[in-house]
Amino acid sequence: MVIRAFVLILLVLSVTSYFIPVENVIKKDNEVETPLLVFNDSTMYTLTTDSMNRIVYAKEVYRFEKRDVMHEGALTLKNFDSKNNYVTDVLYSDIIVKREDIYKFFKNVRFKREDFISLNTDELFYNAKEEIVTNTLPFNGNYYNNTIKGDNLYLDMKSYFMKSNNTHFEIDMKNK
């Protein structure tokens, strides 16, 4: 009799435990994505049929499945301006994150076009497909020998149209 009760209790417990849903909880915070490839002192060139228009240099590059993370890098862009003159734009940064055609620059970002404009900020976003540079943080820089400061930069690299919010532009009257 005791054995029948024991077997019956085991049967009831096994049937009820079969129908109780079990959640497979995986904590995503504990997952660390490992890079597919790691490069040191790397240089990447983008070639077209006409020329080489983009060079990316970085001390360390980590290639993940959907993004590339670069440390102490620079992006050099070679284009023609509106007057069909050859210009070189260089974006320096401590950290660069690239997803598809979007480059995100973080920490000590410096933008330099030839010898007449330079901008400094802590974040910058470059869309390589549309050739547009934006940011959401304050920036400062020089335009020829004049000083420029502002917020929320928008810079179209094709037409070289630039705008920002709260812009302060100081013209140096000593150098004419």
Side-chain angles (χ1 to χ4, degrees):
M1 185 74 174
V2 174
I3 295 176
R4 281 189 197 168
F6 179 71
V7 170
L8 186 62
I9 290 172
L10 283 177
L11 180 66
V12 169
L13 283 175
S14 64
V15 169
T16 55
S17 65
Y18 179 76
F19 290 109
I20 295 175
V22 177
E23 293 181 26
N24 190 3
V25 179
I26 299 173
K27 293 186 178 180
K28 292 184 180 181
D29 295 339
N30 293 339
E31 289 184 15
V32 176
E33 188 178 9
T34 57
L36 302 173
L37 293 171
V38 177
F39 299 104
N40 291 321
D41 292 325
S42 65
T43 305
M44 181 183 73
Y45 299 95
T46 303
L47 303 172
T48 62
T49 56
D50 299 331
S51 66
M52 176 178 50
N53 62 355
R54 191 181 321 152
I55 303 169
V56 179
Y57 170 78
K59 291 275 188 188
E60 295 177 345
V61 177
Y62 299 99
R63 175 159 256 179
F64 296 97
E65 189 173 333
K66 295 183 180 180
R67 71 182 194 282
D68 296 337
V69 178
M70 298 164 248
H71 295 279
E72 295 182 37
L75 171 65
T76 303
L77 304 166
K78 298 182 178 197
N79 288 319
F80 293 96
D81 65 359
S82 59
K83 297 177 184 174
N84 225 5
N85 295 327
Y86 192 71
V87 293
T88 302
D89 299 325
V90 183
L91 291 141
Y92 303 97
S93 178
D94 289 347
I95 298 171
I96 304 170
V97 179
K98 179 187 180 278
R99 290 181 196 254
E100 297 177 4
D101 288 334
I102 306 294
Y103 290 85
K104 296 180 181 180
F105 297 87
F106 299 105
K107 294 185 182 178
N108 299 323
V109 181
R110 296 180 316 267
F111 170 78
K112 186 174 183 179
R113 175 170 267 199
E114 296 293 328
D115 60 349
F116 63 90
I117 188 167
S118 65
L119 300 172
N120 303 314
T121 185
D122 277 334
E123 96 177 351
L124 208 61
F125 307 112
Y126 172 65
N127 186 334
K129 195 173 201 176
E130 297 176 7
E131 296 185 29
I132 294 176
V133 175
T134 59
N135 86 337
T136 59
L137 296 177
F139 69 91
N140 61 25
N142 294 320
Y143 182 72
Y144 289 98
N145 291 327
N146 306 311
T147 306
I148 185 170
K149 295 179 184 180
D151 298 329
N152 300 333
L153 176 69
Y154 175 88
L155 176 61
D156 188 348
M157 304 293 273
K158 291 179 186 174
S159 64
Y160 204 59
F161 174 75
M162 179 177 164
K163 70 178 180 178
S164 68
N165 293 337
N166 301 324
T167 307
H168 181 72
F169 191 75
E170 293 180 12
I171 298 174
D172 186 12
M173 297 299 288
K174 296 175 186 173
N175 297 329
K176 290 187 180 183

